[in-house]
Amino acid sequence: MRRFLSIAAVVGSLTAPALAQQHAPPSEVLAVHDYVAAVSADRIESDIRTLADFGTRHTLSETESETRGIGAARRWIFDEFERISADCGGCLEVMYISDTISGETRIPDPVEVVSVIAIQRGRIDPDRYVMMSGDIDSRVTDPLDGTSDSPGANDNASGMAGVIEAARVLSQHQFDGSIIYAGLSGEEQGLFGGQIVAAHAMENGWRIKGVLNNDMIGNISGINGVINNTTARVFSEGTRAVETPEEARIRRFTGGEVDSPSRNIARFVDRTADQYIPNLDVMMVYRLDRFGRGGHHRPFNAVGFPGVRIMETNEHYDRQHQDLRREDGRPFGDTVDGVDFDHAARLTALNIAVMAQMAGAPPFPSNVTIEGAVRPSTTLSWNMAEGEAAENLAGYRIYWRLTDQPQWQWSRFVGRTDTFTLENVVIDNYYFGVSAVALDGSETPVVFPGPAGSFGN
């Protein structure tokens, strides 16, 4: 009798519109495996060496030389994006975004902080973006020293080289949404490049659904003695920086402290690594960044754009922000010999797999709501994409998990509908969300109901 009742409960839960759904999309995007395989550790090594050979890329360094300083480095990055664009028939819009900064602790006198941006426009939804960023600049011990050699091989030529390689690979393919490849300046002086680009995005109405900030992706040998090339970390904010008092009140009673859009991008990164990147395990760190430190996703978070930091697990502090020297036989400084190019390639491939899915997915679910108080069931509703934007929409997938679990545990594809009820799943015991799925299986990160989890429109 118990067995009959459990089967009846399952059948009862598959009511319309579930029974009317067509076949579910593929569980994986086969093309993503090809994108991952196309990443070249040799090309990444070459780009890291080129960036390190500029001597210093300090924000206050030389700008007129063609061989040394931040000016030469950013012009080389611009030219690389242009060469990549030429190979794909002009598919990249390459530009500088800049502003003059002065009166700051680390930029006391006026300096033009210049970032290099390349945009690959989506074929259906060109104003929806996912961004991969790396930092152009480097530094030594004194943050105001713009003349001493500062190769910045891992921090952050590795992340910048990863961005360039991602552009090489993904520019050979088309996606529904747009991809931004960004070289951001002024990170070491106070995250100014990110602030300037984020302000530009706001002014121009860019709908950025995710920023993947890559800051140090090539070190596998930690100051703690651990050597490991099979792990990476993803940092993400909990509650949104732009949360209003009323939104905080709603979150207090309905949940969402660990389900900001940034946090659900982190879960998406973790799941993508498990599915598409051989021999890589992602550690989700429930913190905006490393303890007391910052990265270039933070300015985007500050104005409401979801963003995470992707980086190596084992840092070596002797190789960060250090004058080049030896003390008692111990080397200090961020030089090329401290970079594992295969690891940098693996983390670049992770970014590529994430961006290909996010850019290839249909519009993110918006206005997601949930009901189920004092009921034996839970109902989620959302705005379903319409018109041309829905051309690639296979449908939606409902997710849920126990409230103390870091990753989504269960899911159900529910097709092209704007509401679905999970029968006999009590709202009090789980967290819920919904994603949009493309015909080829590309999928958005999970969107948690209410303002706490919203990715916007």
Side-chain angles (χ1 to χ4, degrees), residues 337-403:
D337 57 350
V339 180
D340 185 288
F341 306 111
D342 288 330
H343 194 58
R346 189 177 294 114
L347 268 61
T348 298
L350 174 62
N351 282 265
I352 286 172
V354 170
M355 289 195 296
Q357 292 178 87
M358 289 181 66
F364 285 48
S366 61
N367 295 322
V368 180
T369 61
I370 190 167
E371 296 178 313
V374 296
R375 299 179 192 171
S377 60
T378 300
T379 299
L380 288 100
S381 302
W382 56 90
N383 289 352
M384 187 168 69
E386 298 177 345
E388 185 181 21
E391 177 183 310
N392 192 30
L393 176 66
Y396 297 89
R397 181 171 283 120
I398 301 292
Y399 285 85
W400 66 103
R401 72 180 196 273
L402 293 170
T403 61

Side-chain angles (χ1 to χ4, degrees), residues 3-17:
R3 187 172 183 180
F4 173 80
L5 288 173
S6 64
I7 293 173
V10 171
V11 173
S13 68
L14 296 174
T15 56

Side-chain angles (χ1 to χ4, degrees), residues 96-166:
Y96 293 117
I97 296 177
S98 66
D99 200 357
T100 299
I101 303 295
S102 65
E104 301 288 342
T105 301
R106 295 187 178 183
I107 307 182
D109 301 318
V111 170
E112 188 180 22
V113 176
V114 184
S115 296
V116 188
I117 306 297
I119 300 176
Q120 180 179 342
R121 291 287 177 185
R123 63 183 187 89
I124 294 178
D125 198 359
D127 292 327
R128 168 168 58 95
Y129 302 88
V130 59
M131 173 191 288
M132 180 182 178
S133 67
D135 302 319
I136 301 175
D137 57 316
S138 63
R139 59 163 282 198
V140 288
T141 305
D142 179 359
L144 293 176
D145 182 352
T147 58
S148 296
D149 281 350
S150 177
N154 189 48
D155 185 14
N156 186 28
S158 65
M160 189 66 247
V163 172
I164 295 170
E165 179 67 2

